[in-house]
Amino acid sequence: MNEAVEALVIGAGPAGLMAAEALGAAGCKVLVAEARPSPARKFLMAGKSGLNLTRAQPFEEFVATYAEAAPSLRPMLAAFGPEQVRAWAEGLDQPLFAGSTGRVFPKAMKASPLLRAWLRRLGGQGVQMRTRWRWMGWDGTAVLFDTPQGARRVQAGVTVLALGGASWARLGSDGHWAGVLAAAGVPLAPFQPANVGLRVDWSAPMAKVFGQPVKGVALRAGGGAWHRGEFVISARGLEGGGIYALSRPVREGALLLADLMPDWSTDKIAARLSRPRGKASLTNHLRKALRLDPARLALVMEFGRPLPEGPVDLAARLKALPIRHAGPRPLDEAISTAGGVRWDAVDDALMLRERPATYLAGEMLDWEAPTGGYLLTACFATGQWAGRAAAARCRAGRVGG
């Protein structure tokens, strides 16, 4: 069956919905096609532990977080960055607050109220939603879908692809689109896990601390700066924000170090360790002299042995404990992905050079950033940018590529 639409958005995650909003606000008739039974599943899952929308941070510092993708993303973030994200959410009657680290959350601490308000606004713009519509590529100028009612062909004046990355396949981001675009001649960078835990082959004694958080530590990878961050010891390895923030350098082979006592100098630690320990084991001496909790003490025993005998050398080991691991967890377990459509595959409007009137947004593009509001903000910004560019083409002539 065939149908024709003015504007087609494929993917109902944050980038796709933002593109649909920009198109709808411009008066274009929009159809959103989503492969899963409901929209924004990954967005909802991310919001279960508190929806970190963006970050209150000086703009230049914010943009620099995107590393080599920063020059490409800069104009999009300037147009729809942290301040605009906050105004947009508050315009949906979702009051926000900024935590001590600058992370910005809805006061409701959930994604569902924001999503419901957003979908109501889109409905008021006349945006239509089709779920269980899986994009299969093109046949000439027609966009192909596999649906519960069989194959569908859609002729669209403009199309925005916002199909996500290649992690959390059960929520819709399975990266299946990469093969379709590669076959169409679109240059791609390989997918890699970002914001992901580490695999560790633990010794048997570590089982007693599985599930315990590690707090009050600092981490560093390679020659980077030390940064504070918590993580959790799990049966599968190490998980949590402190680890995720260093995903890229660790993935690229940098040595991961932990400062288990960042508020204490090496000299202070050595002085405490120089106290007589009597008949106490070294483990008990560490626990009593330094007040190390079971989780940090277990890490010392796992990664620090053979432990140096002298207090100065032992203190230095605690200040730069090498964390041995077997690499990142699998791609599908990552919060986000690096890789995707290369920037030279799109023009300044995010339109595919190989397919005019087709725009890209969100994690499909080759950029990565740590958690902490950066991921969602760039998805919103690229969705808004692509949607506005598509809307301009739609208004100018309602013609397809």
Side-chain angles (χ1 to χ4, degrees):
M1 293 184 65
N2 301 319
E3 65 178 296
V5 298
E6 275 193 327
L8 174 65
V9 175
I10 306 176
L17 294 179
M18 191 60 76
E21 181 171 352
L23 283 157
C28 301
K29 297 179 180 178
V30 186
L31 172 64
V32 178
E34 165 59 42
R36 305 303 294 172
S38 58
R41 288 195 161 197
K42 191 173 178 182
F43 180 71
L44 288 171
M45 179 64 75
K48 281 195 171 182
S49 57
L51 183 65
N52 187 187
L53 281 173
T54 190
R55 203 175 190 103
Q57 184 178 16
F59 183 73
E60 291 303 322
E61 292 180 14
F62 188 91
V63 174
T65 308
Y66 298 92
E68 67 270 17
S72 298
L73 288 168
R74 174 182 292 277
M76 303 165 206
L77 293 168
F80 201 82
E83 291 185 11
Q84 291 82 5
V85 169
R86 295 181 75 162
W88 166 80
E90 289 167 347
L92 288 168
D93 296 324
Q94 300 300 306
L96 308 175
F97 74 95
S100 59
T101 62
R103 296 178 184 230
V104 177
F105 301 87
K107 287 187 177 180
M109 289 297 288
K110 296 178 182 178
S112 51
L114 176 61
L115 180 61
R116 285 195 298 269
W118 196 4
L119 293 175
R120 284 195 298 270
R121 175 185 286 178
L122 291 172
Q125 292 177 339
V127 174
Q128 296 183 49
M129 181 84 64
R130 307 273 176 84
T131 57
R132 302 182 191 271
W133 276 44
R134 184 172 178 81
W135 180 63
M136 304 304 292
W138 296 281
D139 181 12
T141 60
V143 184
L144 305 180
F145 292 96
D146 180 27
T147 80
Q149 293 76 37
R152 292 290 188 273
R153 297 162 57 91
V154 177
Q155 293 284 352
V158 293
T159 300
V160 177
L161 298 178
L163 291 155
S167 63
W168 293 21
R170 64 190 177 87
L171 300 179
S173 298
D174 59 11
H176 84 282
W177 51 265
V180 178
L181 293 186
V186 176
L188 305 172
F191 289 128
Q192 298 183 83
N195 294 292
V196 67
L198 295 174
R199 293 181 291 123
V200 181
D201 299 321
W202 299 114
S203 64
M206 288 297 293
K208 65 181 181 294
V209 293
F210 288 167
Q212 291 193 19
V214 180
K215 300 181 179 181
V217 300
L219 296 163
R220 182 173 74 178
W226 290 98
H227 85 98
R228 299 290 186 113
E230 297 181 7
F231 56 92
V232 174
I233 301 170
S234 76
R236 303 186 305 169
L238 298 172
E239 307 277 351
I243 298 296
Y244 301 158
L246 297 174
S247 288
R248 179 170 183 172
V250 171
R251 185 182 72 221
E252 294 174 349
L255 176 66
L256 179 63
L257 299 173
D259 181 348
L260 298 182
M261 304 187 71
D263 295 323
W264 286 34
S265 68
T266 302
D267 289 344
K268 182 177 179 179
I269 296 172
R272 288 292 184 91
L273 292 174
S274 297
R275 295 176 177 177
R277 78 185 204 199
K279 296 181 180 180
S281 67
L282 180 55
T283 301
N284 278 333
H285 185 52
L286 286 169
R287 178 176 58 81
K288 292 179 179 179
L290 303 179
R291 299 187 182 91
L292 287 180
D293 55 73
R296 285 185 294 170
L297 192 57
L299 292 177
V300 173
M301 296 297 109
E302 184 73 6
F303 296 128
R305 291 187 291 185
L307 292 174
E309 288 294 330
V312 174
D313 290 339
L314 181 52
R317 182 70 55 86
L318 298 178
K319 293 290 288 181
L321 183 70
I323 305 297
R324 297 186 300 274
H325 58 87
R329 298 293 308 167
L331 182 64
D332 193 49
E333 296 179 20
I335 291 175
S336 60
T337 49
V341 176
R342 286 175 15 191
W343 287 98
D344 58 357
V346 296
D347 65 13
D348 291 343
L350 295 182
M351 186 174 74
L352 274 176
R353 299 185 190 278
E354 292 292 331
R355 197 165 188 94
T358 299
Y359 302 80
L360 265 61
E363 275 198 76
M364 293 184 71
L365 294 159
D366 181 19
W367 59 272
E368 66 175 303
T371 57
Y374 304 105
L375 292 171
L376 272 177
T377 299
C379 285
F380 291 142
T382 54
Q384 178 81 193
W385 191 267
R388 286 178 174 174
R393 189 181 183 99
C394 178
R395 289 194 308 265
R398 270 81 172 170
V399 294

